[in-house]
């Protein structure tokens, strides 16, 4: 394990509750009521996918300009909530402190747009992160692998040398597709299991040694992969 790549919302900071408030406000503005089922489908998603879900749910014309305006409104509203301060997820700050003390390269990898992420970093602290990759800085946001591939590229590392820390199905899928081992601490919604994923109840008590152990377990080739490697060996 040469680097740790961390999601933000729901993983480091318990901001999904603030997104709940903002999403409710957006639905009120658009003349609808957000259901828990629809909200669950937007957790961890990028702005474009979220707006497609919202407009589809409300039966609104999916006009790109209107959806972009709604996304801007949502982000401005959420930014005001962020400015009031972001609560840490249990164990997250202590884990970042441990990574910083050990000089482990750490990236923030989020679907949140840069302007809003910068406001969040005022609470979290920029000093923890070697690089920051935001959803509006890649061609496709999570669940596409682009954000994690970009973070590894900026760190000059192969994604297979990185451990991602995520809380949502969207984020876990993105990190796994990029080739990362994935530590999952579910927050707002359950996350399916996977061969490259280890689930924990929270980040409380996890130290650097624990992350290394999890990474080694997940990064080890599967029996099928070992058989392929053996077959390819002269």
């Amino acid at each position: 394990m040469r680097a740790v790549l961390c999601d933000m919302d729901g993983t480091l900071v318990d901001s999904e509750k603030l997104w709940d408030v903002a999403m409710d406000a957006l639905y009120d503005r658009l003349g609808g009521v957000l259901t828990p089922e629809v909200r669950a489908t937007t957790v961890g998603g990028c702005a474009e996918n979220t707006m497609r879900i919202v407009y589809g749910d409300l039966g609104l014309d999916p006009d790109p300009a209107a959806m972009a305006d709604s996304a801007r409104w949502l982000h401005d509203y959420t930014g005001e909530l962020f400015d009031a301060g972001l609560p840490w997820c249990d164990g997250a700050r202590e884990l970042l402190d441990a990574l910083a003390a050990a000089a482990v390269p750490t990236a923030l990898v989020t679907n949140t747009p840069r302007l809003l992420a910068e406001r969040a970093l005022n609470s979290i602290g920029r000093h923890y992160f070697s690089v920051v990759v935001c959803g509006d800085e890649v061609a496709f946001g999570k669940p596409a692998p682009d954000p994690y591939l970009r973070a590894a590229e900026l760190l000059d590392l192969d994604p297979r040398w990185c451990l991602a820390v995520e809380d949502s199905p969207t984020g876990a899928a993105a990190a796994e597709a990029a080739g990362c081992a994935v530590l999952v601490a579910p927050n707002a919604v359950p996350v399916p299991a996977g061969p490259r994923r280890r689930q924990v109840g929270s980040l409380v008590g996890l130290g650097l040694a624990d992350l290394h152990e999890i990474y080694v377990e997940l990064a080890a080739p599967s029996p099928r992969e070992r058989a392929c490697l053996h077959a390819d060996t002269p």
Side-chain angles (χ1 to χ4, degrees), residues 67-141:
M67 290 194 292
D69 180 68
S70 292
R72 283 191 295 270
W73 187 92
L74 177 66
H75 294 149
D76 287 343
Y77 192 102
T78 307
E80 293 177 6
L81 298 177
F82 279 15
D83 289 344
L86 289 168
W88 287 96
C89 289
D90 293 342
R93 187 170 191 172
E94 293 79 4
L95 182 59
L96 289 180
D97 283 336
L99 292 170
V104 175
T106 303
L108 185 68
V109 187
T110 177
N111 261 346
T112 299
R114 170 63 69 167
L115 287 176
L116 187 52
E118 286 294 328
R119 294 168 78 164
L121 284 167
N122 290 334
S123 291
I124 300 172
R126 292 171 175 77
H127 63 284
Y128 287 119
F129 308 107
S130 305
V131 301
V132 176
V133 177
C134 298
D136 56 348
E137 297 173 338
V138 291
F140 300 100

Side-chain angles (χ1 to χ4, degrees), residues 48-69:
E48 293 80 2
N49 288 344
T50 296
M51 288 305 115
R52 280 194 286 269
I53 292 170
V54 169
Y55 273 61
D57 179 46
L58 294 174
L60 299 174
D61 177 24
D63 175 63
M67 290 194 292
D69 180 68

Side-chain angles (χ1 to χ4, degrees), residues 22-48:
M23 287 288 290
D24 282 333
L26 175 64
Y27 262 72
D28 185 63
R29 182 172 186 259
L30 294 175
V33 177
L34 177 64
T35 65
E37 293 76 18
V38 172
R39 172 65 182 118
T41 66
T42 68
V43 172
C46 62
E48 293 80 2

Side-chain angles (χ1 to χ4, degrees), residues 192-206:
R196 301 289 187 184
R197 304 177 187 181
R198 162 77 81 82
Q199 297 215 18
V200 293
S202 76
L203 301 179
V204 173
L206 290 179

